[in-house]
Amino acid sequence: MTAPQNPLLNDRDVDFLLYEVLDAPRLCALPYFADHARETFDLYLQSCRRFAREVLFPTYRPVDASPPRFEQGGVTVHPALKQVLRPMVDLGVLTAPRPAAVGGQQLPLVVATLAGAYLMAANLSACGYLGLTTGAAHLIETFGDDTLKATFMTRLYAGEWTGTMALTEPQAGSSLADVQARAATTAAGHYLVRGSKIFISGGDHDLTENIVHLTLARIEGAPPGIKGVSLFAVPKRRPERWPDGGRLVPNDVEVAGMIHKIGWRGLPSLAMSFGEKGDCHGYLVGKPHQGIAAMFQMMNEARIMVGANAAATASVAYQEALGYALVRPQGRRLGARDPEAPQVPIVEHADVRRMLLRQKAIVEGSLALVATTALLADLAAHAADAEERERAQRLLDLLTPITKTFPAEKGFESNALALQVHGGYGYSSEYLPEAWLRDQKLNTIHEGTTGIQGLDLLGRKAVAGGGAALMALGAEIQRAIGRAQRAGVEPAWGERLGAAMALVGDVTAHLAEAGMRGDVERMLRHSADYLELASTVVVAWQWLAMAAAAREGLAAGASPAVFYEGKLCAAQYWFSTELPRVEALAALCRSGEDSYARMRPEWF
């Protein structure tokens, strides 16, 4: 019994999304992407696929088995990570979508994201170092002065140094308004930073000679709350003579402890201490007291990255379960009466197909959602028309919390089903599904928990501008319904989706009224349920778009036909089993049901 090699992602599915569902080559008509065509997209995809499968994936198990060590004040990572970091940089992972002026390829983010998903599926910890580095460099590219760009950004984009997000503090958690790290001005122009941070991914390691922490702190005398937080670049080591003179010297940044994680075990999560000796130099990025606004650029990019990681982690587990189910013999078909008949692969059993189809619906719906969100980011930044850029930005803002959450929450369920398909082998460490399940759980927490994403979606994004983003989403869904009708998709699917989107609009208006009356608690009481409601509808939109493209492919005689039939079957599953749930979710949100709102701590 030998299962086929795990492909990580389905190549045909990725090509389908890029070229049949989203028509990514249309971006090449925009000046920013004018040097690209499908040929350059495919070249980058093929390079990432090959590296992910042949080089990166074999490192996953040993890296998971031997996490980083914190010894003698520093962190040592698995040697395999050192072997793959530079080749990943050489692939262009750090800078693929960035401008040529900073060493980038100006590749559409939608292409870079799907190509990167292969790498994430192969070894998400290795990708984590580079994803954080790109985010840090992009922050400095956007908000930093020329000195910071020359000193930090160029080295980050070159892969010589890595970057982090140093936001969270022990006493504050996700409440960035309660950041207490301090920054004192100096006559030399830098700031002296002092404070503690926790859960800093990649905060120390021996992969590169330096690490640049994009750090939130308060300048002395700053106003309280969010409006008093500034952003600083704080290197682990600083040039002896600022900005680039002499050797690198310690910058009073120390590791205070390591968090021992259940997943993402190759990427250390650390407690960090800044300025215990009074000599931690920080360099202001952007304007004073504008740190949160600037940091949201990196945070929103990271949220989409988490969604991509979650989709990739669900995908690699689904592919493993599918390969196993195709070759694992056990039992006979229902109704078989000959006890000596050969056993059949477990994929022949209906309940196994149920589990596989649910995984397929979640995985491929998640990948489509991530790709759509990345395409919107491309259009928001580079569309030729200002109105089109604004519309894309509204949709991007609306979809970001959904793109972060759905692949992680439903991906965890999908990962659990992959383990279940393996039966007793699934819960053994000799098989990989248990490791991917551990990895996936972290994605529901990374970059803002599901509860935080629900508050963001309902409390800000859905009601912003009088619901302008929801109206834009409704228009996109109507376009998808029209395409599906022309393609010959089951008409009831479009009707159900249109009704479900109207229901989302009605529920949003109902809850917004409570907020306008000053009852914010009532408005947001079921924000997590609202997030699930909206996510279910948004993914139905993705499945209708894929069903339309599948019908178009079948009508054109494209091959393989079985690929398109599988898409239509998965779409049927979503519309038959998931979309009907929106009515109950909508009723719950409307009702204001208050069991957990009125539950007192002493009653638990």
Side-chain angles (χ1 to χ4, degrees):
M1 180 186 72
T2 303
Q5 182 178 0
N6 192 318
L8 311 178
L9 274 69
N10 182 327
D11 293 352
R12 184 67 183 85
D13 188 43
V14 171
D15 291 348
F16 174 72
L17 288 174
L18 281 174
Y19 303 128
E20 298 177 61
V21 179
L22 298 175
D23 187 22
R26 66 189 163 102
L27 293 170
C28 301
L30 301 175
Y32 186 81
F33 304 116
D35 290 339
H36 288 286
R38 176 167 178 169
E39 290 73 20
T40 57
F41 296 173
D42 286 343
L43 181 63
Y44 186 69
L45 283 163
Q46 289 162 8
S47 297
C48 288
R49 286 165 175 162
R50 186 181 310 113
F51 183 82
R53 289 166 178 160
E54 297 176 4
V55 180
L56 196 55
F57 189 37
T59 69
Y60 174 76
R61 188 190 290 271
V63 167
D64 178 72
S66 300
R69 302 187 310 276
F70 175 38
E71 299 171 335
Q72 299 179 336
V75 175
T76 303
V77 303
H78 195 286
L81 292 171
K82 301 176 184 179
Q83 297 167 7
V84 299
L85 186 68
R86 175 46 55 181
M88 290 174 70
V89 172
D90 293 341
L91 267 178
V93 174
L94 282 171
T95 57
R98 302 309 312 139
V102 298
Q105 302 175 35
Q106 298 189 190
L107 194 71
L109 185 64
V110 62
V111 178
T113 298
L114 287 175
Y118 285 91
L119 304 172
M120 294 169 180
N123 189 330
L124 76 176
S125 292
C127 294
Y129 293 96
L130 299 189
L132 288 164
T133 299
T134 296
H138 188 198
L139 260 186
I140 297 172
E141 177 191 337
T142 303
F143 299 103
D145 60 28
D146 289 342
T147 299
L148 293 182
K149 291 176 183 178
T151 306
F152 296 133
M153 182 196 74
T154 55
R155 290 177 173 91
L156 290 168
Y157 275 147
E160 297 172 16
W161 298 351
T162 61
T164 77
M165 301 167 65
L167 283 62
T168 307
E169 296 181 4
Q171 83 292 339
S174 298
S175 179
L176 298 182
D178 295 311
V179 163
Q180 293 181 1
R182 300 294 171 179
T185 57
T186 69
H190 64 265
Y191 291 76
L192 291 177
V193 177
R194 185 178 182 89
S196 299
K197 300 288 182 178
I198 197 167
F199 303 121
I200 308 306
S201 296
D204 195 67
H205 54 72
D206 56 347
L207 292 171
T208 57
E209 68 170 346
N210 206 5
I211 303 166
V212 182
H213 305 283
L214 273 293
T215 305
L216 293 179
R218 294 182 184 278
I219 298 173
E220 291 181 341
I226 289 291
K227 296 181 179 180
V229 180
S230 299
L231 178 63
F232 300 88
V234 181
K236 176 182 178 179
R237 298 183 178 92
R238 66 177 188 262
E240 190 172 25
R241 295 186 303 279
W242 178 259
D244 54 8
R247 61 191 179 91
L248 293 175
V249 298
N251 191 38
D252 197 10
V253 176
E254 302 292 341
V255 180
M258 175 180 283
I259 289 87
H260 299 91
K261 303 184 294 181
I262 62 169
W264 284 71
R265 286 160 60 91
L267 181 68
S269 181
L270 304 174
M272 307 289 297
S273 176
F274 295 79
E276 282 197 350
K277 302 173 184 175
D279 192 34
C280 178
H281 293 204
Y283 307 93
L284 184 66
V285 180
K287 297 179 180 178
H289 319 315
Q290 299 295 314
I292 296 295
M295 182 55 80
F296 261 107
Q297 172 183 286
M298 187 172 182
M299 290 168 64
N300 284 328
E301 290 171 349
R303 286 170 176 172
I304 296 172
M305 182 177 70
V306 169
N309 268 300
T313 302
S315 175
V316 67
Y318 163 58
Q319 295 295 338
E320 191 82 358
L322 176 60
Y324 179 84
L326 289 170
V327 301
R328 165 65 172 165
Q330 184 172 298
R332 292 158 187 85
R333 291 186 183 89
L334 290 176
R337 298 185 177 183
D338 182 1
E340 295 185 357
Q343 292 186 321
V344 297
I346 61 173
V347 73
E348 298 288 346
H349 302 311
D351 193 58
V352 172
R353 291 200 299 276
R354 174 190 65 82
M355 292 188 285
L356 290 172
L357 183 55
R358 184 158 183 79
Q359 290 174 72
K360 178 182 176 70
I362 291 170
V363 167
E364 295 176 10
S366 295
L367 283 171
L369 174 59
V370 168
T372 298
T373 306
L375 180 69
L376 287 168
D378 286 321
L379 293 171
H382 304 296
D385 181 69
E387 185 175 341
E388 173 66 7
R389 291 195 298 273
E390 183 180 346
R391 186 195 67 86
Q393 186 64 55
R394 282 198 297 266
L395 282 166
L396 175 62
D397 291 342
L398 182 73
L399 291 182
T400 293
I402 297 173
T403 302
K404 188 273 172 188
T405 303
F406 177 88
E409 288 286 1
K410 292 299 181 181
F412 185 73
E413 181 183 344
S414 181
N415 279 91
L417 288 170
L419 190 152
Q420 187 79 9
V421 167
H422 282 77
Y425 294 109
Y427 56 68
S428 71
S429 59
E430 286 75 24
Y431 283 69
L432 285 170
E434 63 84 22
W436 291 317
L437 184 68
R438 290 187 280 105
D439 288 337
Q440 188 69 282
K441 187 60 225 165
L442 275 65
N443 290 321
T444 67
I445 299 169
H446 281 161
E447 301 311 321
T449 62
T450 298
I452 288 173
Q453 302 303 324
L455 292 171
D456 181 43
L457 177 65
L458 177 56
R460 286 187 284 270
K461 305 301 176 54
V463 296
L470 273 185
M471 288 187 281
L473 176 61
E476 288 297 313
I477 285 176
Q478 286 302 317
R479 273 192 280 272
I481 291 171
R483 179 182 179 184
Q485 290 173 340
R486 293 189 296 274
V489 172
E490 171 62 47
W493 296 356
E495 294 169 5
R496 293 174 198 165
L497 177 57
M501 184 60 211
L503 192 59
V504 171
D506 290 344
V507 170
T508 306
H510 179 80
L511 297 176
E513 286 179 10
M516 291 173 66
R517 294 194 305 268
D519 193 353
V520 177
E521 188 280 330
R522 168 66 182 84
M523 175 187 176
L524 299 176
R525 185 179 300 162
H526 286 281
S527 56
D529 299 308
Y530 179 88
L531 174 57
E532 186 170 0
L533 164 66
S535 298
T536 304
V537 173
V538 164
V539 174
W541 164 43
Q542 297 302 305
W543 271 113
L544 190 68
M546 288 189 280
R551 279 291 175 206
E552 291 164 357
L554 286 170
S559 62
V562 293
F563 171 82
Y564 295 118
E565 293 292 355
K567 284 289 182 187
L568 291 168
C569 198
Q572 175 189 331
Y573 174 86
W574 199 261
F575 280 96
S576 299
T577 67
E578 289 301 297
L579 195 60
R581 296 177 56 245
V582 302
E583 292 189 7
L585 288 166
L588 182 61
C589 292
R590 275 179 169 275
S591 71
E593 195 282 323
D594 67 347
S595 56
Y596 60 81
R598 71 182 188 88
M599 186 73 179
R600 299 177 184 175
E602 63 269 23
W603 293 356
F604 283 102

